[in-house]
């Protein structure tokens, strides 16, 4: 067997495209896959659990993490800060676990710069109308927030060139299957694993 480093999967896309639902389903059926739990300065919503959905922290603590370069990326989204704690991600990748980041697009681009070997997956809603229905149906955003999120959605979709793959979220199960296939292919990319392959066979000589 090859000693392969884990894959860093970055799942991003417009809010309401369903990246959260897709990631949850993916995590349920793939135990080798670890979710990176972000820090955020936003207030927790009903039902959210500290350390599971997010680490809820204040602005001061967030700034400290930024200053200490402890975040792989961070962004200011709809009035709050969100960021990915770096250490845990790196640790898991080194152990051979695949790590999934479910983050918005500005952060995804920072990851692309700092960790280009990541796999960048763009989730698309089937239509803008459907996107609106989903955000409204979630019932957690005010009408003003919904308007803000929708108007930025099209601008975000235009940034799809920065991604390696896209997944249309019409059916969660199909979207999950598509991502599982992406993972399988990426795990067999020569440029990613050539060194470990050559090392293994040289050892056996
Ligand atoms: P929500 O407040 O609805 O949980 O998340 C708002 C947006 O922030 C979503 O698009 C979500 O994917 C994104 N987000 C969550 N965690 C992070 C993070 O660590 N970094 C970045 N850049 N975005 C995040």
């Amino acid at each position: 067997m090859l000693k392969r480093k884990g894959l860093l999967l970055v799942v991003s896309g417009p809010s309401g495209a369903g990246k959260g639902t897709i990631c949850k389903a993916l995590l349920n059926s793939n135990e080798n896959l670890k979710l990176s739990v972000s820090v955020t300065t936003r207030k927790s919503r009903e039902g959210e659990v500290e350390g599971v959905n997010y680490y809820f922290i204040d602005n001061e603590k967030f700034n400290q993490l930024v200053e200490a370069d402890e975040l792989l990326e961070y962004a200011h989204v709809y009035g709050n800060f969100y960021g990915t704690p770096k250490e845990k991600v790196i640790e898991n990748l080194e152990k051979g676990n695949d790590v999934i980041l479910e983050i918005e697009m500005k952060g995804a681009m920072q990851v692309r710069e700092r960790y280009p070997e990541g796999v960048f997956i763009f989730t698309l809603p089937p239509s803008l109308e459907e996107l609106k229905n989903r955000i409204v149906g979630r019932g957690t955003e005010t009408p003003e927030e919904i308007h803000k999120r929708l108007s930025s959605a099209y601008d975000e979709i235009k940034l799809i060139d920065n991604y390696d793959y896209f997944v249309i979220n019409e059916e969660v199960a199909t979207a999950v299957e598509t991502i599982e296939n992406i993972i399988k292919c990426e795990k067999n990319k020569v440029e990613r694993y050539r060194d470990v392959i050559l090392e293994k066979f040289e050892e056996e000589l």
Side-chain angles (χ1 to χ4, degrees), residues 19 38 42 45 54 73 75 82-84 102-104 107 149:
K19 47 188 191 296
S38 299
R42 97 152 152 67
R45 295 182 187 134
Y54 285 106
E73 60 74 38
Y82 297 80
T84 302
E102 185 230 308
I103 62 176
E104 57 68 62
R149 289 195 180 206

Side-chain angles (χ1 to χ4, degrees), residues 7-11 33 98-101 119 121 179 182-183:
L7 290 177
L8 180 62
L9 298 156
V10 181
V11 177
L33 198 54
D98 300 323
V99 178
I100 193 157
L101 307 188
V119 181
I121 302 172
I179 297 180
I182 292 169
I183 294 172

Side-chain angles (χ1 to χ4, degrees), residues 11-16 19-20 36-40 42-43 45 48 53-54 62 73-78 80-85 101-108 110 138 140-141 149 156:
V11 177
S12 194
S15 166
K19 47 188 191 296
S36 160
V37 179
S38 299
V39 291
T40 183
R42 97 152 152 67
K43 298 263 174 296
R45 295 182 187 134
E48 285 185 329
N53 302 93
Y54 285 106
F62 195 96
E73 60 74 38
Y74 68 95
H76 192 241
V77 193
Y78 316 118
N80 297 296
F81 287 100
Y82 297 80
T84 302
L101 307 188
E102 185 230 308
I103 62 176
E104 57 68 62
M105 300 173 60
K106 280 175 279 175
Q110 291 168 44
R138 194 157 66 183
T140 50
E141 277 83 3
R149 289 195 180 206
E156 289 182 328

Side-chain angles (χ1 to χ4, degrees), residues 79-101:
N80 297 296
F81 287 100
Y82 297 80
T84 302
K86 188 162 54 181
E87 199 178 311
K88 196 83 176 269
V89 171
I90 303 298
E91 207 180 280
N92 263 313
L93 294 175
E94 295 295 338
K95 270 197 234 161
N97 291 321
D98 300 323
V99 178
I100 193 157
L101 307 188

Side-chain angles (χ1 to χ4, degrees), residues 1-170:
M1 289 287 273
L2 292 173
K3 257 207 226 130
R4 284 186 267 207
K5 207 172 141 179
L7 290 177
L8 180 62
L9 298 156
V10 181
V11 177
S12 194
S15 166
K19 47 188 191 296
T21 318
I22 296 175
C23 289
K24 210 183 274 171
L26 244 186
L27 289 158
N28 280 340
S29 48
N30 294 273
E31 60 177 37
N32 188 39
L33 198 54
K34 308 285 176 206
L35 178 72
S36 160
V37 179
S38 299
V39 291
T40 183
T41 61
R42 97 152 152 67
K43 298 263 174 296
S44 71
R45 295 182 187 134
E46 216 182 302
E48 285 185 329
V49 178
E50 166 77 16
V52 175
N53 302 93
Y54 285 106
Y55 294 103
F56 297 97
I57 61 174
D58 60 19
N59 278 302
E60 194 187 336
K61 175 76 182 153
F62 195 96
N63 286 336
Q64 281 171 9
L65 295 177
V66 173
E67 303 265 301
D69 194 26
E70 287 185 25
L71 300 180
L72 181 58
E73 60 74 38
Y74 68 95
H76 192 241
V77 193
Y78 316 118
N80 297 296
F81 287 100
Y82 297 80
T84 302
K86 188 162 54 181
E87 199 178 311
K88 196 83 176 269
V89 171
I90 303 298
E91 207 180 280
N92 263 313
L93 294 175
E94 295 295 338
K95 270 197 234 161
N97 291 321
D98 300 323
V99 178
I100 193 157
L101 307 188
E102 185 230 308
I103 62 176
E104 57 68 62
M105 300 173 60
K106 280 175 279 175
M109 288 308 94
Q110 291 168 44
V111 180
R112 179 134 221 169
E113 273 184 22
R114 296 184 86 169
Y115 199 88
E117 60 267 52
V119 181
F120 295 81
I121 302 172
F122 194 77
T123 53
L124 281 169
S127 66
L128 272 190
E129 184 59 29
E130 177 65 26
L131 180 64
K132 184 178 176 187
N133 293 341
R134 286 181 193 174
I135 300 177
V136 172
R138 194 157 66 183
T140 50
E141 277 83 3
T142 64
E144 195 189 53
E145 281 167 342
I146 292 167
H147 178 73
K148 259 200 272 180
R149 289 195 180 206
L150 272 182
S151 63
S152 58
Y154 177 64
D155 289 338
E156 289 182 328
I157 289 169
K158 285 192 288 191
L159 299 172
I160 199 163
D161 294 330
N162 298 309
Y163 291 77
D164 303 311
Y165 298 95
F166 70 90
V167 176
I168 299 178
N169 183 21
E170 195 142 27

